[in-house]
Amino acid sequence: MNQPLRPQNPTDCADVVLRLFEFVDEETEPLDRARIQAHLDECGACLAEYERDLLVKALIRRACACQEAPATLRSQIMTRITTVTVVQHRTEQR
């Protein structure tokens, strides 16, 4: 699960840059989306990063539009997406 932006602190560049791909893909919660958008409206450096991410996504979409992923790759991706890994840590007994 994604960590929400810290509501008690002003949205800083590190938070925004870490969440840009989610923002570009519209995968952020509405409150985080509003905070990121407000930050982008005020911060030229982060806005430039955002625009680069949009460009990269568009270039990938255009470059890959004529090729479909092989069925085995699609299957592997779906398997990884739906696989749950449980990690159990043992505590030291004294």
Side-chain angles (χ1 to χ4, degrees), residues 54-64:
L54 287 176
L55 179 60
V56 167
K57 186 173 181 170
L59 289 171
I60 291 170
R61 185 182 309 115
R62 188 170 66 219
C64 297

Side-chain angles (χ1 to χ4, degrees), residues 5 7 28-36:
L5 294 174
T28 51
E29 295 295 322
L31 183 58
D32 285 342
R33 185 160 190 79
R35 287 186 180 130
I36 292 170

Side-chain angles (χ1 to χ4, degrees), residues 72-84:
T72 54
L73 176 60
R74 295 169 78 82
S75 176
Q76 289 172 355
I77 291 170
M78 290 307 296
T79 299
R80 288 186 182 182
I81 289 172
T82 58
T83 300
V84 175

